[in-house]
């Protein structure tokens, strides 16, 4: 009757308040100079050392040695309301039905670029290509589907540019990427918590155990993966530049521990033990020491989560159409269709969690601890920007961008309550003194209201149990960035 422990969501799914100007969980916050134009023209416009990541080929256009470093302060909010949920047994889940999931994070970056000779230029950089952070209230009604999610990818990259001729250059970047992730949720053991003291009627004794209401799952892991970038930069005319940049997919296999607290001990697991009273194989046993329903205080299983972050291809233009004005444009493709599902599987010599989660009535696949179908689709984004040379030492910028949501309505979840997004940004580049310059930028994101209707599935995409979650969401985000540049 009672559902074994199972993981309904996975470590790399993301919340709507994930980090700022992003498609899915891909971040753009590696250049404040580009942010001022909503990242339009990125990699085509010759700006500063942040081109190490934006377009390795454009390094050949920088004059001399340059250094750029900056921070982005990201404030994002996901407001939810009208939330209601059902346990695996179909009982209504009690809890907070409206609230706010907020995020306040700092995303740093640093780049250095120089020339080897007349043909070759190089650069190194540190940046954050992917990331998110969210934490719902512990008492919210959707706690069986989402609690805390955190992911961070840190990258170290070296880039090399080769100037083919006076107009065209090629570039290559190689990166090492370290990922860390943590996910948690409260466990729904087929409505044990919702059944409450009515469980005493089933057992005809006072066996209620409040610990089941605090049953909690957490999985964490890390990994390192290589990546590469290919870039092309060219001058179509004296005033028009083009860039084509490809960033490769990153193939991670996070390894770590799956941990669950206060999970039921069923009769099948302790048959023959003198310490328990077995009522039925599928029901929680009674602990003779306490007289209450038996619970294991903690179970740990070594596990893994394969994850491939998407490849990205961007075409950008930068056109200086007068002595004071320039426009920038970009179109970008992101290969989110590689994200088909999340699989958390056991790599433990002595399994514990997967003994129940892999059963035919649960995930129905050997070694599986968690599974969620994603089936995202490839997405497009576009941006347009304007720059105005207000004074000889001050350039003003603005831009608008549109990001297509890669998640279909049938696969939206409480960890990914997202829709198509529109961004508006403003920025400025100020030549402070001598070789020093400062970039400042601000961006605001609008997203339409959306609703989710989430369920659990086994590893064959068959819906499980009577559990469900229905929520209405509204998201918005702001980013404030600053970047300091020095030309040696």
């Amino acid at each position: 009757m009672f559902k074994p422990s199972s993981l309904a969501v996975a470590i790399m799914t993301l919340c709507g308040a994930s980090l700022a100007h992003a498609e899915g969980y891909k971040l753009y916050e590696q250049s404040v100079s580009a942010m001022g134009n909503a990242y339009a023209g990125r990699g085509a416009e010759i700006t500063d050392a942040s081109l190490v990541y934006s377009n390795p080929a454009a390094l050949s256009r920088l004059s001399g040695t340059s250094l750029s470093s900056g921070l982005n302060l990201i404030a994002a909010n996901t407001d939810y309301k009208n939330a209601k949920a059902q346990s695996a047994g179909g009982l209504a889940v009690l809890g907070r039905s409206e609230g706010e999931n907020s995020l306040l994070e700092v995303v740093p970056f640093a780049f250095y670029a120089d020339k080897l000779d007349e043909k070759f230029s190089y650069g190194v950089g540190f940046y954050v290509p992917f990331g998110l952070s969210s934490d719902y209230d512990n008492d919210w009604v959707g706690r069986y589907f989402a609690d805390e999610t955190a992911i961070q990818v840190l990258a170290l990259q070296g880039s090399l540019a080769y100037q083919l001729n006076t107009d065209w250059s090629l570039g290559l970047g190689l990166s090492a990427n370290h990922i860390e992730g943590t996910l948690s949720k409260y466990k729904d053991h087929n409505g044990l918590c919702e059944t409450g003291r009515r469980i005493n009627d089933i057992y005809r004794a006072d066996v209620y155990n409040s610990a089941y209401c605090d049953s909690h799952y957490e999985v964490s892991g890390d990994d390192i993966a290589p990546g590469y970038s290919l870039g092309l930069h060219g001058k179509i005319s004296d005033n028009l530049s083009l860039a084509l940049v490809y960033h490769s997919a990153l193939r991670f296999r996070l390894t770590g521990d799956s941990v669950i607290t206060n999970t039921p001990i069923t009769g099948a697991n302790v048959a023959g033990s003198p310490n328990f009273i077995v009522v039925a194989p599928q029901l929680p046993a009674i602990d003779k020491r306490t007289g209450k329903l038996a619970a294991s205080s903690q179970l740990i299983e070594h596990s893994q989560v394969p994850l491939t972050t998407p490849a990205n291809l961007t075409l950008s233009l930068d056109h200086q159409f007068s002595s004071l004005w320039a426009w920038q444009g970009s179109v970008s493709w992101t290969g989110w269709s590689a994200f088909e599902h999340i699989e958390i599987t056991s790599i433990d010599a002595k399994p514990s969690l997967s003994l129940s989660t892999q059963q035919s009535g649960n995930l129905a696949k050997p070694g599986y601890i968690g599974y969620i179908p994603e089936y995202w689709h490839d997405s497009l984004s576009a941006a347009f920007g304007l720059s105005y040379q207000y004074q000889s030492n001050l350039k003003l910028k603005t831009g608008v961008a549109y990001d297509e949501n890669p998640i279909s309505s049938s696969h939206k979840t409480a960890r990914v309550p997202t829709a198509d997004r529109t961004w508006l940004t403003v920025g400025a580049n100020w030549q402070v003194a001598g070789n020093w310059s400062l970039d400042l930028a601000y961006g605001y994101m609008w997203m339409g209201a959306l609703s989710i209707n989430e369920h659990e599935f086994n590893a064959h995409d068959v819906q499980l149990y009577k559990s469900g979650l229905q929520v209405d969401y509204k998201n918005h985000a702001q980013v404030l960035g600053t970047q300091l540049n020095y030309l040696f």
Side-chain angles (χ1 to χ4, degrees):
M1 175 179 178
F2 290 99
K3 171 188 170 187
S5 304
S6 67
L7 178 65
V9 290
I11 192 168
M12 290 305 158
T13 50
L14 322 159
C15 77
S18 61
L19 297 184
H21 191 292
E23 301 167 90
Y25 53 94
K26 176 180 171 59
L27 299 182
Y28 285 87
E29 282 78 17
Q30 303 91 19
S31 173
V32 176
S33 56
M35 177 184 162
N37 295 121
Y39 300 99
R42 189 177 190 180
E45 184 180 11
I46 304 305
T47 52
D48 47 61
S50 63
L51 290 167
V52 169
Y53 172 77
S54 301
N55 185 2
L59 293 175
S60 63
R61 300 293 174 179
L62 292 177
S63 57
T65 305
S66 58
L67 177 68
S68 296
S69 181
L71 295 171
N72 292 280
L73 177 64
I74 299 171
N77 288 87
T78 295
D79 298 312
Y80 64 89
K81 63 180 181 178
N82 304 322
K84 58 182 179 179
Q86 304 78 43
S87 71
L91 298 174
V93 178
L94 299 178
R96 186 191 300 262
S97 62
E98 60 181 50
E100 180 182 79
N101 194 351
S102 61
L103 164 76
L104 185 64
E105 293 283 351
V106 173
V107 180
F109 61 88
F111 297 97
Y112 173 86
D114 200 359
K115 289 186 176 295
L116 290 173
D117 54 34
E118 292 182 357
K119 288 289 187 179
F120 287 95
S121 302
Y122 74 96
V124 294
F126 161 80
Y127 57 93
V128 183
F130 298 93
L132 71 97
S133 177
S134 71
D135 192 4
Y136 281 94
D137 296 310
N138 293 344
D139 63 345
W140 91 291
V141 75
R143 59 189 176 274
Y144 295 150
F145 285 85
D147 180 27
E148 181 181 3
T149 307
I151 176 177
Q152 180 175 259
V153 178
L154 302 179
L156 184 64
Q157 178 168 322
S159 296
L160 184 68
Y162 176 70
Q163 188 166 335
L164 296 171
N165 52 44
T166 57
D167 293 328
W168 295 91
S169 58
L170 298 174
L172 169 67
L174 299 176
S175 63
N177 302 268
H178 178 259
I179 188 171
E180 289 185 347
T182 298
L183 172 143
S184 70
K185 57 167 281 187
Y186 285 84
K187 293 299 298 174
D188 169 16
H189 300 294
N190 205 21
L192 267 179
C193 180
E194 283 67 37
T195 302
R197 294 190 177 277
R198 288 174 295 169
I199 197 73
N200 294 338
D201 296 333
I202 299 174
Y203 283 76
R204 298 180 181 180
D206 183 13
V207 296
Y208 172 69
N209 187 348
S210 61
Y212 292 144
C213 294
D214 294 320
S215 185
H216 193 257
Y217 178 89
E218 180 173 303
V219 60
S220 60
D222 65 347
D223 192 21
I224 296 176
Y228 66 90
S229 301
L230 300 174
L232 171 70
H233 187 275
K235 297 281 289 184
I236 299 177
S237 68
D238 290 341
N239 299 319
L240 179 61
S241 297
L242 172 147
L244 185 65
V245 183
Y246 176 82
H247 297 295
S248 74
L250 304 176
R251 304 184 186 280
F252 295 105
R253 185 172 295 272
L254 287 83
T255 58
D257 289 327
S258 291
V259 181
I260 185 172
T261 59
N262 300 320
T263 189
I265 298 176
T266 61
N269 293 329
V270 292
S273 171
N275 300 318
F276 300 91
I277 299 174
V278 175
V279 179
Q282 75 275 21
L283 296 180
I286 298 174
D287 191 330
K288 288 184 177 180
R289 295 172 302 172
T290 63
K292 307 297 183 182
L293 296 183
S296 176
S297 60
Q298 186 179 82
L299 295 175
I300 301 175
E301 187 160 353
H302 202 43
S303 55
Q304 64 179 4
V305 184
L307 177 76
T308 298
T309 64
N312 176 262
L313 180 65
T314 301
L315 173 66
S316 296
L317 295 172
D318 175 44
H319 184 208
Q320 187 75 40
F321 63 90
S322 77
S323 60
L324 298 179
W325 289 91
W327 65 261
Q328 298 80 31
S330 291
V331 177
S332 183
W333 166 89
T334 304
W336 284 113
S337 60
F339 190 24
E340 294 184 345
H341 45 249
I342 292 291
E343 300 172 316
I344 301 180
T345 58
S346 174
I347 52 173
D348 202 312
K350 297 180 179 180
S352 54
L353 296 175
S354 60
L355 294 177
S356 61
T357 55
Q358 68 184 359
Q359 297 301 315
S360 58
N362 202 318
L363 297 182
K365 207 164 186 179
Y368 270 58
I369 299 174
Y371 174 84
I372 183 170
E374 294 290 349
Y375 301 113
W376 290 17
H377 57 78
D378 295 348
S379 66
L380 295 174
S381 64
F384 179 80
L386 283 173
S387 299
Y388 175 62
Q389 195 70 45
Y390 180 71
Q391 295 177 348
S392 60
N393 64 341
L394 180 62
K395 179 184 288 188
L396 303 180
K397 303 179 179 184
T398 189
V400 61
Y402 174 81
D403 295 331
E404 181 186 13
N405 170 41
I407 312 167
S408 63
S409 58
S410 60
H411 288 94
K412 294 184 189 297
T413 71
R415 296 186 184 273
V416 200
T418 186
D420 295 346
R421 287 160 286 199
T422 301
W423 280 90
L424 179 64
T425 69
V426 292
N429 174 262
W430 178 32
Q431 299 295 319
V432 181
N435 294 335
W436 292 94
S437 66
L438 179 68
D439 283 284
L440 298 172
Y442 169 81
Y444 188 87
M445 180 273 288
W446 291 269
M447 184 186 299
L450 67 141
S451 300
I452 71 162
N453 184 16
E454 185 175 357
H455 299 281
E456 293 186 80
F457 295 85
N458 71 13
H460 304 286
D461 294 336
V462 177
Q463 186 172 326
L464 286 173
Y465 318 117
K466 299 178 182 179
S467 55
L469 173 64
Q470 300 82 40
V471 197
D472 297 326
Y473 284 97
K474 184 76 173 180
N475 303 307
H476 65 276
Q478 301 178 77
V479 185
L480 181 63
T482 180
Q483 174 180 319
L484 188 63
N485 312 292
Y486 184 74
L487 183 63
F488 291 86

